[in-house]
Amino acid sequence: MRGLRQRRRNRAAARALRPARMGLPDVLRVGAVGLRTRPLRAFLSALGIAIGIAAMVAVVGVSSSSRADLDRTLRALGTNVLTVSPGSTFAGEAAQLPLEAESMVDRIGPVSAVSAIGKVPDTAVYRNGKIPKVETNGLAAYAARTDLLKTVGAELRSGVWLHASTGRYPATVLGASAARRLGIGRIEPGTRVLIGHRMFTVVGVLEPAPLAPELDTAALVGWPAAASELGFDGHATVLYTRSDESSVEDVRAVLGTTANPKAPNEVDVSRPSDALAAQQAAGEAFTGLLLGLGAVALLVGGVGVANTMVISVLERRAEVGLRRSLGATRGQIRNQFLAESLLLSALGGVGGAVLGAAVTGGYAVYQGWPSVVPVWAVAGGVGATLVIGALAGLYPALRAARLSPTEALTAH
């Protein structure tokens, strides 16, 4: 009986000496002590994490903003534009579209609009007659139909477009790049350029044309004026068509045979919006490379956190020994340092996400894009920092937990 009472008293004493349990708020509060007592070291360690996260969020955000701008452009311009251009003959020579190609394509039922340009061969464009002939700047003269802008979705930056009257006289509308290379900003009265051997009056300048990039480096003149002033033979170089959205692929299948029934294999048919999408895909490959660099920066930041935590354990052995002497368990010591590592990483992750979003917004505003920062990128970035923080702090936390009170106090 006496032994039973003694065992009960021992169990009661053991329960009385059981260490108090620490809730999550207590663990976070204790873990934050190391950050508050060493603010500069904590800031520098969190900065490494923040740089990696900011790089990843900014790369994803800029890429998403660029894609959103492309989608907006395609919605505005339409994805139902198809182009027809001459290819090559079996002998490898440049082919030529028939003179009636434009009218034949216009007969296709689902086609709602057709327009064309025709390159004037051996005709360069200069600011004046004093420019050396070899310095063409890559500019060329094209005959253009009056309904070209509506068909390709291009817009004027300044001036007016060619119409039935100006199309018969030596007047020209310059593409965006052509105007810049010729040094023409605003159109002043009497502004002229040399096309071939004839001076043409500049009546308008185009905005960049995403669906017809060949217009950017062109000097466009009316079809009749190109024939009378520059000796244009009337053969179209590029036909532009718009079709019903639901019939684009059907139209695409018959465009070659319709434009040149005698030699359909000498006709190239393309969809300009596909080229823009391919360009975006190339940009996404580059984005993947930048994301890899951001991941490396994030890894370096994690190594910095691990280094900080190891040093923190070495410097705070006396604290660990004192807490163990006062009854703290190994698990509580482990949780303390693990919480410190997670808080350090979380500060870097949140700061990096905010910085990356700010960079994305600033760059999007500068480029005139819609600002898009995917939620998954921000959440994934912060989540990655927590994982890295847990991995970086695990070894130092376990090392601190293994210290015995006497060993820690004696080492101090």
Side-chain angles (χ1 to χ4, degrees):
M1 181 66 68
R2 184 178 303 172
L4 180 60
R5 285 198 295 269
Q6 183 62 37
R7 284 195 296 272
R8 288 177 179 175
R9 283 196 294 269
N10 290 341
R11 285 196 295 268
R15 284 195 296 270
L17 293 175
R18 183 177 298 171
R21 297 184 60 183
M22 295 179 63
L24 181 60
D26 298 322
V27 173
L28 295 178
R29 191 179 303 111
V30 172
V33 171
L35 305 184
R36 292 198 302 268
T37 55
R38 298 167 180 82
L40 181 59
R41 181 184 296 173
F43 171 76
L44 293 177
S45 299
L47 183 61
I49 291 284
I51 291 174
I53 291 299
M56 298 179 71
V57 172
V59 166
V60 174
V62 169
S63 176
S64 299
S65 299
S66 174
R67 190 179 302 111
D69 180 67
L70 174 62
D71 293 340
R72 182 177 64 179
T73 300
L74 290 178
R75 282 195 300 269
L77 297 177
T79 57
N80 60 340
V81 175
L82 297 173
T83 65
V84 180
S85 57
S88 301
T89 64
F90 283 117
E93 300 176 351
Q96 195 175 52
L97 293 177
L99 290 173
E100 61 274 10
E102 190 175 353
S103 60
M104 290 190 296
V105 169
D106 194 32
R107 297 172 186 169
I108 300 176
V111 173
S112 57
V114 180
S115 192
I117 60 172
K119 187 175 182 179
V120 182
D122 304 322
T123 304
V125 183
Y126 302 94
R127 188 69 174 87
N128 52 54
K130 299 180 181 180
I131 308 298
K133 298 297 183 183
V134 294
E135 297 183 9
T136 64
N137 263 330
L139 307 181
Y142 288 85
R145 296 296 189 186
T146 55
D147 56 357
L148 178 65
L149 293 192
K150 181 179 179 182
T151 304
V152 301
E155 296 181 354
L156 281 165
R157 175 180 299 170
S158 60
V160 297
W161 176 242
L162 301 168
H163 49 77
S165 298
T166 56
R168 296 196 300 267
Y169 297 99
T172 182
V173 174
L174 300 176
S177 297
R180 185 180 66 255
R181 296 177 190 177
L182 293 171
I184 298 175
R186 295 179 56 191
I187 301 177
E188 303 290 345
T191 301
R192 299 196 298 172
V193 295
L194 181 65
I195 302 179
H197 300 286
R198 183 69 186 270
M199 298 299 293
F200 278 66
T201 301
V202 179
V203 297
V205 175
L206 295 179
E207 293 281 5
L211 295 184
E214 57 275 2
L215 301 183
D216 294 343
T217 56
L220 303 166
V221 301
W223 211 273
S228 60
E229 304 290 342
L230 302 175
F232 176 54
D233 60 8
H235 288 274
T237 304
V238 183
L239 296 180
Y240 303 95
T241 71
R242 279 193 182 270
S243 311
D244 296 337
E245 290 283 355
S246 59
S247 305
V248 170
E249 294 303 325
D250 294 335
V251 172
R252 190 176 189 174
V254 300
L255 267 180
T257 55
T258 304
N260 192 354
K262 294 182 179 179
N265 57 296
E266 298 178 1
V267 178
D268 292 333
V269 179
S270 63
R271 191 172 184 175
S273 57
D274 290 345
L276 292 177
Q279 183 180 11
Q280 180 66 39
E284 290 176 357
F286 185 65
T287 297
L289 174 62
L290 293 180
L291 281 175
L293 295 177
V296 171
L298 185 59
L299 180 61
V300 171
V303 172
V305 170
N307 181 58
T308 297
M309 294 307 302
V310 169
I311 295 176
S312 180
V313 170
L314 293 176
E315 290 181 345
R316 297 161 64 186
R317 292 168 71 105
E319 175 190 335
V320 172
L322 181 60
R323 290 200 62 211
R324 290 297 310 278
S325 300
L326 294 176
T329 64
R330 293 179 182 270
Q332 290 172 347
I333 298 297
R334 182 193 63 234
N335 292 340
Q336 171 189 346
F337 284 91
L338 194 58
E340 182 176 334
S341 177
L342 288 172
L343 286 173
L344 190 60
S345 299
L347 288 175
V350 173
V354 172
L355 179 60
V359 170
T360 299
Y363 189 76
V365 170
Y366 174 75
Q367 293 287 350
W369 298 343
S371 180
V372 179
V373 181
V375 176
W376 65 263
V378 176
V382 175
T385 61
L386 295 178
V387 172
I388 288 180
L391 295 176
L394 185 59
Y395 170 72
L398 293 176
R399 181 173 179 175
R402 285 197 297 265
L403 290 174
S404 65
T406 54
E407 179 187 356
L409 293 173
T410 302
H412 180 70

